[in-house]
Amino acid sequence: MEQIIDIVLLAFMVVTAIAMIRLRNLFAVVMLSGIFSLLSAAMFVVLDAVDVAFTEAAVGAGISTVLMLGTLALTFRDERPATRADWPAMLVVTVTGAALIYGTLDMPRFGDPDAPIHQHVAPRYIVDSPREVGPPNMVTSVLASYRGYDTLGETTVIFTAGIGVMVLLGSVTRRRRRARPTTPATPAAPAPPEGRP
Amino acid sequence: MITTGCLFILVTLALALLRAVRGPSVYDRIVAVNTFGTMIVLLLVLLGFLTDRPEFEDIALLYVLINFASTIAVLKFVKYSSLAGPGADRGASPKGGTAP
């Protein structure tokens, strides 16, 4: 039964991806991308990567859908029809995809206990982490304790990026608000085309 | 019984996907995505019981919350073209020349 669910979920992902390529209505494409990330989150749960699945559901289905809708409010609603097929790009994509698939041929079988990733430090995490760190979830112990400095660095990077975005957006809003009482007819930013949904 | 439930949920997922691809209006697609999220949550719960790991239910509960919040965000965007609501950005500008 689980295999049937896997196959059907993967088939849904293929159908969604093809529909996203074929559709010209960009709102529909954004909605379909939300569906796609929900499907991939379900696939991650099936693969036992629950934390990745949760991030995918929060970022992919939640935030990025809203961000893309915000972009859509500033641009047109329909994609311009493609005039001709771009064969060099097709060639590059095909070669890259073939190289990636060729690279997976050397990989150990999925779930193979003799794979290198299961031999290096994973046994120590599995055996010793409840005693050394404490939480029953191994991923939590790895992220918060064994790779604590790494996580601290990541958090610093994301925090700095957030501050940068807030400073950029906040200065635009403040300037617009200051300019409004004196010259209300002058828009601070170029007005978008009237194509909002 | 859990297997039957999974099968029916997969059929419902297919129908919701069809509506999201075909759906002529914006609201068809929003409802389709919302239904799709709910069905994914149900599928995750059933998968937890199918593989004897019912503790995955917590993740399903969080998915429900994210699904609800993102549906509201999408609907607000469709109606107001911004997350802030009707009077936040354009109420003060009489010409409406600011970006949404």
Side-chain angles (χ1 to χ4, degrees):
Chain A
M1 185 62 212
E2 279 181 72
Q3 280 176 341
I4 296 177
I5 291 177
D6 288 358
I7 293 169
V8 173
L9 285 182
L10 286 173
F12 282 165
M13 286 174 87
V14 171
V15 169
T16 314
I18 292 176
M20 279 165 75
I21 297 172
R22 305 289 301 180
L23 279 176
R24 292 285 151 207
N25 185 349
L26 288 178
F27 182 81
V29 172
V30 172
M31 290 289 103
L32 283 175
S33 75
I35 286 184
F36 190 85
S37 58
L38 276 173
L39 279 171
S40 50
M43 274 312 292
F44 286 139
V45 171
V46 171
L47 290 173
D48 275 354
V50 180
D51 50 334
V52 186
F54 188 66
T55 312
E56 175 68 36
V59 175
I63 301 290
S64 74
T65 307
V66 171
L67 286 181
M68 280 198 267
L69 279 179
T71 315
L72 207 58
L74 297 172
T75 56
F76 299 104
R77 289 199 64 188
D78 286 309
E79 189 181 347
R80 208 177 294 142
T83 47
R84 61 182 179 81
D86 197 347
W87 290 111
M90 184 73 192
L91 184 72
V92 169
V93 168
T94 312
V95 168
T96 313
L100 288 175
I101 290 174
Y102 175 72
T104 63
L105 292 181
D106 281 347
M107 282 171 65
R109 214 170 49 80
F110 175 69
D112 188 4
D114 295 330
I117 194 168
H118 296 141
Q119 293 297 327
H120 179 44
V121 285
R124 171 161 175 188
Y125 292 155
I126 294 170
V127 175
D128 290 342
S129 78
R131 187 174 48 79
E132 285 184 343
V133 185
N137 189 335
M138 271 180 279
V139 177
T140 308
S141 342
V142 169
L143 286 181
S145 173
Y146 292 111
R147 294 184 200 158
Y149 285 116
D150 185 51
T151 308
L152 182 67
E154 285 171 15
T155 319
T156 312
V157 167
I158 292 175
F159 183 68
T160 317
I163 288 179
V165 169
M166 280 169 72
V167 165
L168 286 173
L169 293 181
S171 69
V172 168
T173 317
R174 223 175 301 127
R175 208 177 304 136
R176 201 181 289 161
R177 200 171 295 151
R178 206 178 301 139
R180 204 173 276 148
T182 53
T183 55
T186 312
E194 289 298 321
R196 61 184 64 135
Chain B
M1 198 183 79
I2 292 176
T3 314
T4 321
C6 283
L7 283 178
F8 274 102
I9 284 177
L10 288 179
V11 172
T12 319
L13 279 177
L15 293 175
L17 185 61
L18 186 71
R19 184 44 66 197
V21 174
R22 296 279 305 275
S25 81
V26 165
Y27 300 104
D28 285 329
R29 293 198 163 104
I30 294 174
V31 171
V33 171
N34 194 14
T35 314
F36 206 88
T38 314
M39 288 302 141
I40 286 281
V41 166
L42 289 178
L43 188 67
L44 288 185
V45 173
L46 286 181
L47 262 178
F49 280 103
L50 204 64
T51 54
D52 288 331
R53 298 171 79 174
E55 58 263 29
F56 282 6
E57 270 178 56
D58 300 349
I59 297 136
L61 281 179
L62 283 168
Y63 274 28
V64 173
L65 293 179
I66 290 175
N67 196 23
F68 175 70
S70 68
T71 305
I72 291 205
V74 168
L75 284 172
K76 273 193 117 169
F77 246 110
V78 169
K79 184 137 175 71
Y80 301 124
S81 294
S82 87
L83 275 185
D89 199 36
R90 49 179 70 175
S93 66
K95 297 279 183 189
T98 52

